[in-house]
Each structure stands twice: as structure tokens, then as C-alpha cells.
Amino acid sequence: MALNVSDMPLMAMLKERMSWLSARQNVLAQNVANVDTPGYSAKDLKPVDFADILKDSTAPSQFQGGMATTDPRHISLSHSGGADYTDFNSPDAEANPSGNTVSLEQEMIRVSDTQAEFQAASNLYAKAIDMMKTAIGHGG
């Protein structure tokens, strides 16, 4: 029986977070690319609700792993994936005379924040893997 580490709730949540941040980075890159496009409105992604991810990752009906949780003390291996993010118009500033609402400064701040959050999630993922390796006796 194989254990899929990426289906564990913590890993699934980190994977979902990194997927959302990657999608946001793409939306922000489109904003920067269209900074001079007349009539373009800046966009952003709606934040992912952590409570929904947690509920989905611990719901018994979402179980997809090879192990069952028969005791409340067992760790669930469920995961629901799905990267369907919603974008919305997020004007950075008032529209300039051409109707464009992208502020390059605001976009650079968002890109930097997104990059830092992705790095933090990536570091947490790596630390969790290291802890699992240590727990099974293969840590360094």
C-alpha cells in the first residue's frame, strides 16, 4: 500500500496555497503586461478561504488514500484538489485618460508579496517533508 504524501491534509493545503499563489502571479503578470493597454482594468484573484480547504481536506467523503481513519486519533489522508480560482477587477488606481487602471507600483508590491508568501509555503512544505523523513528514520 503506497502512501501519497501530497494527499496528506497539511501537504494538500500547502500545495493548494502554492497553486493559488502561482495563479495569482500569472494574473499579476498579465496586469503588468497590460500597463499601457487602453481600457484594461487591473485584476486579482479572490483569496482562498482556509476554512473551506480545511473542511474539504478533513471530510470523510473526500477520502482517496489507501488507509482508513477508524479512530478519532488517526490522521486523515484525505484531499480534495481542485484549482478553480476566481479573478475579479481590482483597479489599482483611478483610470488614466486611456481608461487603464493598472498602477505599476501597486502591481510590483503585489508581485513581491506573492513571491514572499510562495517562498514561505515552499519552506513549510520542505520542513514537513524533512520532519517526516526524520520520523521514519531517514532524516539527515
Side-chain angles (χ1 to χ4, degrees):
M1 180 180 312
L3 173 65
N4 189 353
V5 174
S6 65
D7 286 343
M8 297 176 75
L10 173 64
M11 301 307 216
M13 286 188 291
L14 289 171
K15 193 167 80 175
E16 179 75 18
R17 179 73 176 157
M18 288 190 286
S19 177
W20 182 84
L21 290 166
S22 178
R24 185 179 192 218
Q25 195 77 353
N26 287 335
V27 169
L28 298 175
Q30 288 176 354
N31 288 344
V32 171
N34 288 293
V35 70
D36 291 328
T37 303
Y40 184 83
S41 181
K43 294 178 175 52
D44 202 349
L45 288 184
K46 289 185 179 178
V48 175
D49 186 7
F50 177 75
D52 287 344
I53 294 173
L54 184 61
K55 187 175 12 172
D56 288 348
S57 69
T58 58
S61 64
Q62 298 296 323
F63 179 74
Q64 296 176 359
M67 299 174 66
T69 55
T70 57
D71 187 286
R73 295 172 290 177
H74 290 167
I75 298 172
S76 172
L77 299 176
S78 63
H79 168 63
S80 67
D84 187 22
Y85 308 117
T86 306
D87 66 349
F88 63 101
N89 287 339
S90 172
D92 296 332
E94 290 186 27
N96 63 19
S98 71
N100 189 306
T101 63
V102 177
S103 164
L104 196 53
E105 293 81 16
Q106 285 296 318
E107 294 303 318
M108 291 298 106
I109 291 170
R110 288 180 182 157
V111 166
S112 179
D113 288 346
T114 302
Q115 183 179 12
E117 289 179 30
F118 188 92
Q119 187 64 44
S122 177
N123 287 342
L124 283 172
Y125 195 92
K127 292 288 183 189
I129 293 289
D130 287 345
M131 287 190 323
M132 282 188 244
K133 285 180 179 176
T134 300
I136 61 173
H138 295 293

